Amino acid sequence: AQHHAERCDMIANACGPAPQSVNDLVPVLFKGKLDAHEVSFAFSEALAHANYMAAKGDLNWVEEGERLKLIRT
């Protein structure tokens, strides 16, 4: 549970100043070099946290051009 709360705090802080894509959030949550397999898992985890936070109302999805990004509410 603490791991999940820490990840959500990291995402909220990253999405506070400016909208972030899920791809932008991967290096926020995962430091260091990731191989292709790790990147796919990292992206999936970032997306799952983002969707959870959006469903709770902590983040909003916004469109920037053709990209969907997240902003803290």
Side-chain angles (χ1 to χ4, degrees), residues 33-72:
K33 186 165 175 62
L34 303 175
D35 65 29
H37 185 73
E38 292 168 327
V39 169
S40 68
F41 280 105
F43 184 89
S44 296
E45 183 169 341
L47 179 59
H49 279 85
N51 281 330
Y52 170 80
M53 294 176 72
K56 278 185 38 184
D58 296 333
L59 299 175
N60 282 329
W61 289 101
V62 295
E63 288 186 44
E64 274 195 6
E66 295 184 9
R67 296 183 75 190
L68 284 176
K69 293 190 173 187
L70 295 143
I71 189 83
R72 187 171 56 195

mmCIF file of all heavy atoms in Angstrom, residues 33-72:
data_model
loop_
_atom_site.group_PDB
_atom_site.id
_atom_site.type_symbol
_atom_site.label_atom_id
_atom_site.label_comp_id
_atom_site.label_asym_id
_atom_site.label_seq_id
_atom_site.Cartn_x
_atom_site.Cartn_y
_atom_site.Cartn_z
ATOM 1 N N LYS A 33 18.393 3.085 -16.574
ATOM 2 C CA LYS A 33 18.149 2.573 -17.920
ATOM 3 C C LYS A 33 17.277 1.323 -17.844
ATOM 4 O O LYS A 33 17.529 0.434 -17.039
ATOM 5 C CB LYS A 33 19.489 2.256 -18.586
ATOM 6 C CG LYS A 33 19.372 1.865 -20.034
ATOM 7 C CD LYS A 33 20.725 1.933 -20.707
ATOM 8 C CE LYS A 33 20.691 1.440 -22.118
ATOM 9 N NZ LYS A 33 19.838 2.206 -23.005
ATOM 10 N N LEU A 34 16.269 1.271 -18.678
ATOM 11 C CA LEU A 34 15.379 0.121 -18.753
ATOM 12 C C LEU A 34 15.526 -0.542 -20.117
ATOM 13 O O LEU A 34 15.639 0.154 -21.132
ATOM 14 C CB LEU A 34 13.917 0.561 -18.578
ATOM 15 C CG LEU A 34 13.563 1.319 -17.297
ATOM 16 C CD1 LEU A 34 12.108 1.777 -17.355
ATOM 17 C CD2 LEU A 34 13.802 0.470 -16.077
ATOM 18 N N ASP A 35 15.509 -1.874 -20.138
ATOM 19 C CA ASP A 35 15.508 -2.549 -21.430
ATOM 20 C C ASP A 35 14.079 -2.550 -21.979
ATOM 21 O O ASP A 35 13.146 -2.099 -21.308
ATOM 22 C CB ASP A 35 16.099 -3.960 -21.331
ATOM 23 C CG ASP A 35 15.283 -4.925 -20.474
ATOM 24 O OD1 ASP A 35 14.047 -4.769 -20.371
ATOM 25 O OD2 ASP A 35 15.895 -5.854 -19.908
ATOM 26 N N ALA A 36 13.896 -3.039 -23.192
ATOM 27 C CA ALA A 36 12.585 -2.974 -23.851
ATOM 28 C C ALA A 36 11.509 -3.694 -23.042
ATOM 29 O O ALA A 36 10.373 -3.213 -22.936
ATOM 30 C CB ALA A 36 12.674 -3.560 -25.255
ATOM 31 N N HIS A 37 11.853 -4.825 -22.476
ATOM 32 C CA HIS A 37 10.899 -5.582 -21.664
ATOM 33 C C HIS A 37 10.488 -4.784 -20.425
ATOM 34 O O HIS A 37 9.310 -4.687 -20.088
ATOM 35 C CB HIS A 37 11.538 -6.922 -21.266
ATOM 36 C CG HIS A 37 10.634 -7.836 -20.526
ATOM 37 N ND1 HIS A 37 9.599 -8.511 -21.123
ATOM 38 C CD2 HIS A 37 10.609 -8.183 -19.217
ATOM 39 C CE1 HIS A 37 8.973 -9.240 -20.218
ATOM 40 N NE2 HIS A 37 9.560 -9.055 -19.058
ATOM 41 N N GLU A 38 11.462 -4.186 -19.759
ATOM 42 C CA GLU A 38 11.187 -3.381 -18.563
ATOM 43 C C GLU A 38 10.372 -2.138 -18.897
ATOM 44 O O GLU A 38 9.510 -1.740 -18.120
ATOM 45 C CB GLU A 38 12.502 -2.985 -17.887
ATOM 46 C CG GLU A 38 13.244 -4.154 -17.284
ATOM 47 C CD GLU A 38 14.667 -3.812 -16.884
ATOM 48 O OE1 GLU A 38 15.312 -2.974 -17.553
ATOM 49 O OE2 GLU A 38 15.138 -4.397 -15.897
ATOM 50 N N VAL A 39 10.649 -1.520 -20.046
ATOM 51 C CA VAL A 39 9.893 -0.334 -20.455
ATOM 52 C C VAL A 39 8.418 -0.672 -20.620
ATOM 53 O O VAL A 39 7.553 0.095 -20.201
ATOM 54 C CB VAL A 39 10.466 0.282 -21.755
ATOM 55 C CG1 VAL A 39 9.522 1.328 -22.325
ATOM 56 C CG2 VAL A 39 11.828 0.894 -21.493
ATOM 57 N N SER A 40 8.120 -1.825 -21.195
ATOM 58 C CA SER A 40 6.713 -2.188 -21.391
ATOM 59 C C SER A 40 6.012 -2.368 -20.048
ATOM 60 O O SER A 40 4.874 -1.922 -19.871
ATOM 61 C CB SER A 40 6.580 -3.439 -22.266
ATOM 62 O OG SER A 40 7.073 -4.581 -21.605
ATOM 63 N N PHE A 41 6.671 -2.989 -19.084
ATOM 64 C CA PHE A 41 6.081 -3.133 -17.759
ATOM 65 C C PHE A 41 5.968 -1.788 -17.049
ATOM 66 O O PHE A 41 4.966 -1.501 -16.385
ATOM 67 C CB PHE A 41 6.882 -4.118 -16.905
ATOM 68 C CG PHE A 41 6.565 -5.549 -17.211
ATOM 69 C CD1 PHE A 41 7.450 -6.319 -17.944
ATOM 70 C CD2 PHE A 41 5.387 -6.128 -16.774
ATOM 71 C CE1 PHE A 41 7.158 -7.646 -18.234
ATOM 72 C CE2 PHE A 41 5.081 -7.456 -17.063
ATOM 73 C CZ PHE A 41 5.976 -8.215 -17.795
ATOM 74 N N ALA A 42 6.990 -0.949 -17.189
ATOM 75 C CA ALA A 42 6.976 0.369 -16.551
ATOM 76 C C ALA A 42 5.837 1.221 -17.112
ATOM 77 O O ALA A 42 5.128 1.900 -16.355
ATOM 78 C CB ALA A 42 8.322 1.064 -16.766
ATOM 79 N N PHE A 43 5.652 1.192 -18.432
ATOM 80 C CA PHE A 43 4.566 1.954 -19.045
ATOM 81 C C PHE A 43 3.220 1.454 -18.534
ATOM 82 O O PHE A 43 2.343 2.252 -18.186
ATOM 83 C CB PHE A 43 4.627 1.852 -20.572
ATOM 84 C CG PHE A 43 3.593 2.690 -21.258
ATOM 85 C CD1 PHE A 43 3.868 4.004 -21.596
ATOM 86 C CD2 PHE A 43 2.343 2.185 -21.553
ATOM 87 C CE1 PHE A 43 2.911 4.800 -22.207
ATOM 88 C CE2 PHE A 43 1.378 2.962 -22.171
ATOM 89 C CZ PHE A 43 1.660 4.278 -22.500
ATOM 90 N N SER A 44 3.061 0.144 -18.465
ATOM 91 C CA SER A 44 1.797 -0.430 -17.988
ATOM 92 C C SER A 44 1.517 -0.034 -16.548
ATOM 93 O O SER A 44 0.377 0.282 -16.189
ATOM 94 C CB SER A 44 1.824 -1.952 -18.108
ATOM 95 O OG SER A 44 1.916 -2.325 -19.458
ATOM 96 N N GLU A 45 2.538 -0.038 -15.711
ATOM 97 C CA GLU A 45 2.340 0.369 -14.315
ATOM 98 C C GLU A 45 1.996 1.850 -14.226
ATOM 99 O O GLU A 45 1.099 2.244 -13.474
ATOM 100 C CB GLU A 45 3.566 0.064 -13.462
ATOM 101 C CG GLU A 45 3.309 0.417 -12.010
ATOM 102 C CD GLU A 45 4.353 -0.078 -11.034
ATOM 103 O OE1 GLU A 45 5.119 -0.992 -11.365
ATOM 104 O OE2 GLU A 45 4.376 0.461 -9.923
ATOM 105 N N ALA A 46 2.691 2.690 -14.997
ATOM 106 C CA ALA A 46 2.390 4.121 -14.994
ATOM 107 C C ALA A 46 0.961 4.369 -15.469
ATOM 108 O O ALA A 46 0.236 5.188 -14.880
ATOM 109 C CB ALA A 46 3.393 4.874 -15.874
ATOM 110 N N LEU A 47 0.544 3.667 -16.506
ATOM 111 C CA LEU A 47 -0.816 3.824 -17.023
ATOM 112 C C LEU A 47 -1.850 3.372 -15.994
ATOM 113 O O LEU A 47 -2.866 4.033 -15.798
ATOM 114 C CB LEU A 47 -0.980 3.041 -18.328
ATOM 115 C CG LEU A 47 -2.367 3.091 -18.971
ATOM 116 C CD1 LEU A 47 -2.782 4.523 -19.294
ATOM 117 C CD2 LEU A 47 -2.387 2.223 -20.217
ATOM 118 N N ALA A 48 -1.598 2.263 -15.331
ATOM 119 C CA ALA A 48 -2.536 1.770 -14.318
ATOM 120 C C ALA A 48 -2.682 2.780 -13.179
ATOM 121 O O ALA A 48 -3.802 3.067 -12.731
ATOM 122 C CB ALA A 48 -2.063 0.424 -13.777
ATOM 123 N N HIS A 49 -1.574 3.336 -12.715
ATOM 124 C CA HIS A 49 -1.647 4.347 -11.662
ATOM 125 C C HIS A 49 -2.380 5.595 -12.155
ATOM 126 O O HIS A 49 -3.198 6.168 -11.436
ATOM 127 C CB HIS A 49 -0.247 4.725 -11.178
ATOM 128 C CG HIS A 49 0.333 3.775 -10.194
ATOM 129 N ND1 HIS A 49 1.000 2.631 -10.570
ATOM 130 C CD2 HIS A 49 0.340 3.788 -8.843
ATOM 131 C CE1 HIS A 49 1.397 1.992 -9.491
ATOM 132 N NE2 HIS A 49 1.009 2.665 -8.422
ATOM 133 N N ALA A 50 -2.093 6.018 -13.379
ATOM 134 C CA ALA A 50 -2.742 7.206 -13.933
ATOM 135 C C ALA A 50 -4.245 6.999 -14.057
ATOM 136 O O ALA A 50 -5.038 7.889 -13.690
ATOM 137 C CB ALA A 50 -2.137 7.543 -15.293
ATOM 138 N N ASN A 51 -4.659 5.849 -14.547
ATOM 139 C CA ASN A 51 -6.090 5.569 -14.669
ATOM 140 C C ASN A 51 -6.761 5.518 -13.302
ATOM 141 O O ASN A 51 -7.878 6.023 -13.128
ATOM 142 C CB ASN A 51 -6.322 4.257 -15.418
ATOM 143 C CG ASN A 51 -6.175 4.417 -16.904
ATOM 144 O OD1 ASN A 51 -6.435 5.475 -17.465
ATOM 145 N ND2 ASN A 51 -5.751 3.352 -17.559
ATOM 146 N N TYR A 52 -6.104 4.930 -12.332
ATOM 147 C CA TYR A 52 -6.631 4.880 -10.967
ATOM 148 C C TYR A 52 -6.825 6.301 -10.421
ATOM 149 O O TYR A 52 -7.878 6.641 -9.879
ATOM 150 C CB TYR A 52 -5.673 4.082 -10.074
ATOM 151 C CG TYR A 52 -5.982 4.174 -8.613
ATOM 152 C CD1 TYR A 52 -6.996 3.403 -8.042
ATOM 153 C CD2 TYR A 52 -5.264 5.025 -7.784
ATOM 154 C CE1 TYR A 52 -7.291 3.489 -6.693
ATOM 155 C CE2 TYR A 52 -5.542 5.119 -6.440
ATOM 156 C CZ TYR A 52 -6.558 4.350 -5.892
ATOM 157 O OH TYR A 52 -6.843 4.448 -4.551
ATOM 158 N N MET A 53 -5.800 7.133 -10.600
ATOM 159 C CA MET A 53 -5.864 8.501 -10.078
ATOM 160 C C MET A 53 -6.907 9.331 -10.815
ATOM 161 O O MET A 53 -7.585 10.161 -10.207
ATOM 162 C CB MET A 53 -4.486 9.150 -10.157
ATOM 163 C CG MET A 53 -3.476 8.481 -9.231
ATOM 164 S SD MET A 53 -1.822 9.163 -9.413
ATOM 165 C CE MET A 53 -2.063 10.785 -8.642
ATOM 166 N N ALA A 54 -7.059 9.117 -12.112
ATOM 167 C CA ALA A 54 -8.078 9.842 -12.884
ATOM 168 C C ALA A 54 -9.473 9.411 -12.435
ATOM 169 O O ALA A 54 -10.376 10.245 -12.296
ATOM 170 C CB ALA A 54 -7.883 9.606 -14.374
ATOM 171 N N ALA A 55 -9.656 8.130 -12.182
ATOM 172 C CA ALA A 55 -10.961 7.630 -11.727
ATOM 173 C C ALA A 55 -11.318 8.201 -10.355
ATOM 174 O O ALA A 55 -12.491 8.452 -10.070
ATOM 175 C CB ALA A 55 -10.952 6.108 -11.689
ATOM 176 N N LYS A 56 -10.305 8.418 -9.515
ATOM 177 C CA LYS A 56 -10.529 9.009 -8.187
ATOM 178 C C LYS A 56 -10.745 10.518 -8.249
ATOM 179 O O LYS A 56 -11.166 11.123 -7.277
ATOM 180 C CB LYS A 56 -9.317 8.747 -7.287
ATOM 181 C CG LYS A 56 -9.301 7.406 -6.645
ATOM 182 C CD LYS A 56 -8.129 7.249 -5.677
ATOM 183 C CE LYS A 56 -7.858 8.515 -4.907
ATOM 184 N NZ LYS A 56 -6.711 8.461 -4.033
ATOM 185 N N GLY A 57 -10.402 11.128 -9.379
ATOM 186 C CA GLY A 57 -10.534 12.579 -9.512
ATOM 187 C C GLY A 57 -9.281 13.346 -9.139
ATOM 188 O O GLY A 57 -9.310 14.572 -9.054
ATOM 189 N N ASP A 58 -8.165 12.640 -8.914
ATOM 190 C CA ASP A 58 -6.904 13.309 -8.581
ATOM 191 C C ASP A 58 -6.219 13.887 -9.812
ATOM 192 O O ASP A 58 -5.430 14.831 -9.702
ATOM 193 C CB ASP A 58 -5.943 12.338 -7.898
ATOM 194 C CG ASP A 58 -6.463 11.843 -6.562
ATOM 195 O OD1 ASP A 58 -7.249 12.559 -5.917
ATOM 196 O OD2 ASP A 58 -6.080 10.729 -6.163
ATOM 197 N N LEU A 59 -6.498 13.308 -10.980
ATOM 198 C CA LEU A 59 -5.931 13.758 -12.251
ATOM 199 C C LEU A 59 -7.050 13.885 -13.273
ATOM 200 O O LEU A 59 -8.068 13.196 -13.167
ATOM 201 C CB LEU A 59 -4.914 12.750 -12.793
ATOM 202 C CG LEU A 59 -3.679 12.433 -11.970
ATOM 203 C CD1 LEU A 59 -2.882 11.314 -12.634
ATOM 204 C CD2 LEU A 59 -2.807 13.659 -11.791
ATOM 205 N N ASN A 60 -6.838 14.733 -14.252
ATOM 206 C CA ASN A 60 -7.750 14.845 -15.394
ATOM 207 C C ASN A 60 -6.971 14.571 -16.667
ATOM 208 O O ASN A 60 -5.829 15.010 -16.804
ATOM 209 C CB ASN A 60 -8.350 16.256 -15.507
ATOM 210 C CG ASN A 60 -9.455 16.491 -14.522
ATOM 211 O OD1 ASN A 60 -10.186 15.586 -14.144
ATOM 212 N ND2 ASN A 60 -9.576 17.734 -14.092
ATOM 213 N N TRP A 61 -7.605 13.853 -17.590
ATOM 214 C CA TRP A 61 -7.026 13.673 -18.924
ATOM 215 C C TRP A 61 -7.327 14.922 -19.743
ATOM 216 O O TRP A 61 -8.443 15.430 -19.724
ATOM 217 C CB TRP A 61 -7.654 12.463 -19.616
ATOM 218 C CG TRP A 61 -7.240 11.143 -19.044
ATOM 219 C CD1 TRP A 61 -7.960 10.360 -18.192
ATOM 220 C CD2 TRP A 61 -6.016 10.457 -19.295
ATOM 221 N NE1 TRP A 61 -7.252 9.220 -17.895
ATOM 222 C CE2 TRP A 61 -6.052 9.253 -18.567
ATOM 223 C CE3 TRP A 61 -4.890 10.739 -20.054
ATOM 224 C CZ2 TRP A 61 -5.009 8.332 -18.578
ATOM 225 C CZ3 TRP A 61 -3.853 9.812 -20.076
ATOM 226 C CH2 TRP A 61 -3.920 8.638 -19.342
ATOM 227 N N VAL A 62 -6.327 15.445 -20.444
ATOM 228 C CA VAL A 62 -6.492 16.604 -21.315
ATOM 229 C C VAL A 62 -5.863 16.281 -22.667
ATOM 230 O O VAL A 62 -4.932 15.491 -22.753
ATOM 231 C CB VAL A 62 -5.859 17.885 -20.714
ATOM 232 C CG1 VAL A 62 -6.579 18.298 -19.441
ATOM 233 C CG2 VAL A 62 -4.379 17.708 -20.447
ATOM 234 N N GLU A 63 -6.386 16.895 -23.708
ATOM 235 C CA GLU A 63 -5.819 16.712 -25.043
ATOM 236 C C GLU A 63 -4.850 17.846 -25.335
ATOM 237 O O GLU A 63 -5.176 19.005 -25.141
ATOM 238 C CB GLU A 63 -6.920 16.702 -26.100
ATOM 239 C CG GLU A 63 -7.755 15.448 -26.082
ATOM 240 C CD GLU A 63 -8.746 15.406 -27.226
ATOM 241 O OE1 GLU A 63 -8.359 15.742 -28.370
ATOM 242 O OE2 GLU A 63 -9.895 15.048 -26.959
ATOM 243 N N GLU A 64 -3.672 17.472 -25.803
ATOM 244 C CA GLU A 64 -2.689 18.452 -26.283
ATOM 245 C C GLU A 64 -2.315 18.021 -27.690
ATOM 246 O O GLU A 64 -1.551 17.074 -27.863
ATOM 247 C CB GLU A 64 -1.459 18.492 -25.384
ATOM 248 C CG GLU A 64 -1.602 19.408 -24.212
ATOM 249 C CD GLU A 64 -0.271 19.711 -23.545
ATOM 250 O OE1 GLU A 64 0.798 19.307 -24.048
ATOM 251 O OE2 GLU A 64 -0.316 20.361 -22.496
ATOM 252 N N GLY A 65 -2.901 18.697 -28.660
ATOM 253 C CA GLY A 65 -2.703 18.255 -30.035
ATOM 254 C C GLY A 65 -3.332 16.889 -30.203
ATOM 255 O O GLY A 65 -4.501 16.701 -29.924
ATOM 256 N N GLU A 66 -2.524 15.932 -30.603
ATOM 257 C CA GLU A 66 -3.022 14.563 -30.781
ATOM 258 C C GLU A 66 -2.645 13.659 -29.616
ATOM 259 O O GLU A 66 -2.800 12.445 -29.694
ATOM 260 C CB GLU A 66 -2.470 13.989 -32.089
ATOM 261 C CG GLU A 66 -2.988 14.722 -33.302
ATOM 262 C CD GLU A 66 -2.507 14.096 -34.593
ATOM 263 O OE1 GLU A 66 -1.917 13.002 -34.568
ATOM 264 O OE2 GLU A 66 -2.725 14.716 -35.641
ATOM 265 N N ARG A 67 -2.154 14.243 -28.530
ATOM 266 C CA ARG A 67 -1.711 13.444 -27.387
ATOM 267 C C ARG A 67 -2.633 13.651 -26.198
ATOM 268 O O ARG A 67 -3.109 14.757 -25.946
ATOM 269 C CB ARG A 67 -0.295 13.850 -26.980
ATOM 270 C CG ARG A 67 0.722 13.563 -28.061
ATOM 271 C CD ARG A 67 2.103 13.892 -27.609
ATOM 272 N NE ARG A 67 2.565 12.865 -26.682
ATOM 273 C CZ ARG A 67 3.664 12.980 -25.962
ATOM 274 N NH1 ARG A 67 4.409 14.056 -26.044
ATOM 275 N NH2 ARG A 67 4.024 12.017 -25.150
ATOM 276 N N LEU A 68 -2.847 12.581 -25.453
ATOM 277 C CA LEU A 68 -3.561 12.674 -24.181
ATOM 278 C C LEU A 68 -2.532 12.811 -23.074
ATOM 279 O O LEU A 68 -1.539 12.088 -23.039
ATOM 280 C CB LEU A 68 -4.397 11.416 -23.926
ATOM 281 C CG LEU A 68 -5.684 11.304 -24.718
ATOM 282 C CD1 LEU A 68 -6.351 9.963 -24.429
ATOM 283 C CD2 LEU A 68 -6.646 12.432 -24.373
ATOM 284 N N LYS A 69 -2.781 13.763 -22.192
ATOM 285 C CA LYS A 69 -1.891 13.988 -21.064
ATOM 286 C C LYS A 69 -2.716 14.095 -19.797
ATOM 287 O O LYS A 69 -3.937 14.202 -19.831
ATOM 288 C CB LYS A 69 -1.069 15.273 -21.276
ATOM 289 C CG LYS A 69 -0.090 15.153 -22.441
ATOM 290 C CD LYS A 69 0.848 16.303 -22.456
ATOM 291 C CE LYS A 69 1.922 16.099 -23.519
ATOM 292 N NZ LYS A 69 2.955 17.149 -23.447
ATOM 293 N N LEU A 70 -2.024 14.082 -18.680
ATOM 294 C CA LEU A 70 -2.664 14.152 -17.374
ATOM 295 C C LEU A 70 -2.239 15.413 -16.653
ATOM 296 O O LEU A 70 -1.078 15.817 -16.709
ATOM 297 C CB LEU A 70 -2.256 12.933 -16.529
ATOM 298 C CG LEU A 70 -2.763 11.617 -17.104
ATOM 299 C CD1 LEU A 70 -1.726 10.529 -16.910
ATOM 300 C CD2 LEU A 70 -4.074 11.259 -16.471
ATOM 301 N N ILE A 71 -3.188 16.029 -15.965
ATOM 302 C CA ILE A 71 -2.918 17.210 -15.162
ATOM 303 C C ILE A 71 -3.545 16.995 -13.789
ATOM 304 O O ILE A 71 -4.623 16.385 -13.678
ATOM 305 C CB ILE A 71 -3.451 18.502 -15.835
ATOM 306 C CG1 ILE A 71 -2.984 19.755 -15.100
ATOM 307 C CG2 ILE A 71 -4.944 18.497 -15.965
ATOM 308 C CD1 ILE A 71 -1.614 20.204 -15.476
ATOM 309 N N ARG A 72 -2.863 17.457 -12.763
ATOM 310 C CA ARG A 72 -3.401 17.322 -11.408
ATOM 311 C C ARG A 72 -4.603 18.242 -11.234
ATOM 312 O O ARG A 72 -4.611 19.356 -11.723
ATOM 313 C CB ARG A 72 -2.304 17.666 -10.386
ATOM 314 C CG ARG A 72 -2.726 17.386 -8.951
ATOM 315 C CD ARG A 72 -1.587 17.521 -8.002
ATOM 316 N NE ARG A 72 -0.995 18.842 -8.117
ATOM 317 C CZ ARG A 72 0.198 19.156 -7.624
ATOM 318 N NH1 ARG A 72 0.921 18.261 -7.009
ATOM 319 N NH2 ARG A 72 0.666 20.375 -7.757
#
